[in-house]
Amino acid sequence: MSDIEVERCSIRGEFSAPLIGKYSGDYSFAGMFFARAALDSSVICTNLSASSEQNGKIVLDILRAFGAKITRGGDSVNVRANALRGCSVDVSEFPKIAPVIALLALFAKGKSHISGMRCAPEMQALIIENLSLLGAKCEFNDDNLWMWPQRSVEHTVLNARNDPYMALALILISTYTAGTTCIRNVDGLFERYPEFTEIFERLGGVYRVCRLSL
């Protein structure tokens, strides 16, 4: 399994969302970069059709609920940093978006709540595992997850367990934490999004692939 070490760095600039088959760009992929930009910077993503019907488009509503600044121009979306506030989001129709919420909740002011997690217990467990490693306070039952912010996040060893959405969220969280963070089992991301390396480096991301003993 591949592990990577990610350094604290600024993420900003312009990129194009990878295609979903022959259709428009992937909102759920772009959403992770949007969430990171909402913390302290600005990114522009092109190739996001305003008429897209994909479930991942909900990420823009989530970002607005947290307080991020969003501007759309045609198929281009710009997300800029702003003071974020905790909010409540139902992910029952698209649980893959939950890691985006976790990224925002970790640094938003006040409590955040994810409902609809009963349909994705493995994702819920993975989020809880990694937020706990980052020092965040979490409470949960079979359908709900409550999170409180943790502003003194230090570097640690996280585990994506080969979930591409979790890996992407953890990598981008790690660019905002102190020091260098190791993220284990990220192969799922590189398989699902082969464009990731190029996009991440173009936006200022700094990482290196490593191998840790099991």
Side-chain angles (χ1 to χ4, degrees):
M1 299 293 182
S2 294
D3 309 308
I4 64 172
E5 291 182 337
V6 180
E7 295 184 13
R8 181 179 175 90
C9 53
S10 178
I11 299 293
R12 63 180 68 249
E14 182 174 331
F15 67 102
S16 178
L19 290 173
I20 301 177
K22 297 180 181 179
Y23 303 99
S24 66
D26 187 339
Y27 273 89
S28 57
F29 175 85
M32 303 291 187
F33 287 98
F34 287 156
R36 174 61 181 86
L39 299 178
D40 69 352
S41 57
S42 171
V43 297
I44 298 172
C45 184
T46 58
N47 193 36
L48 292 175
S49 172
S51 61
S52 173
E53 297 181 356
Q54 61 181 276
N55 289 341
K57 194 175 179 181
I58 191 178
V59 70
L60 297 184
D61 293 331
I62 293 170
L63 286 159
R64 290 188 183 98
F66 271 97
K69 296 180 179 180
I70 302 174
T71 304
R72 176 182 282 283
D75 289 348
S76 175
V77 176
N78 175 213
V79 174
R80 304 181 306 283
N82 196 23
L84 302 182
R85 57 185 180 274
C87 66
S88 182
V89 181
D90 185 341
V91 300
S92 56
E93 294 187 7
F94 194 62
K96 292 178 181 178
I97 209 69
V100 171
I101 304 167
L103 189 161
L104 292 165
L106 191 63
F107 301 103
K109 181 179 180 180
K111 180 175 66 175
S112 294
H113 170 226
I114 303 179
S115 60
M117 294 297 294
R118 184 183 292 114
C119 61
E122 293 183 358
M123 176 61 77
Q124 183 188 48
L126 191 54
I127 290 172
I128 292 168
E129 173 188 350
N130 285 290
L131 286 180
S132 297
L133 289 169
L134 287 163
K137 177 185 175 183
C138 305
E139 294 181 3
F140 60 94
N141 60 27
D142 65 338
D143 195 50
N144 298 278
L145 172 62
W146 294 269
M147 294 156 288
W148 285 261
Q150 172 56 269
R151 296 190 177 279
S152 59
V153 175
E154 298 293 338
H155 61 280
T156 184
V157 178
L158 307 174
N159 199 328
R161 301 197 184 282
N162 288 315
D163 182 279
Y165 296 94
M166 195 72 243
L168 185 50
L170 293 178
I171 289 170
L172 290 170
I173 286 175
S174 298
T175 67
Y176 197 66
T177 59
T180 299
T181 301
C182 177
I183 306 163
R184 308 207 63 181
N185 302 319
V186 297
D187 289 330
L189 172 62
F190 290 96
E191 293 169 2
R192 175 66 178 82
Y193 298 118
E195 304 96 336
F196 168 75
T197 300
E198 178 184 352
I199 292 173
F200 187 60
E201 292 179 344
R202 187 188 317 140
L203 295 177
V206 180
Y207 79 100
R208 58 182 175 271
V209 177
C210 61
R211 293 279 180 177
L212 295 181
S213 59
L214 297 178

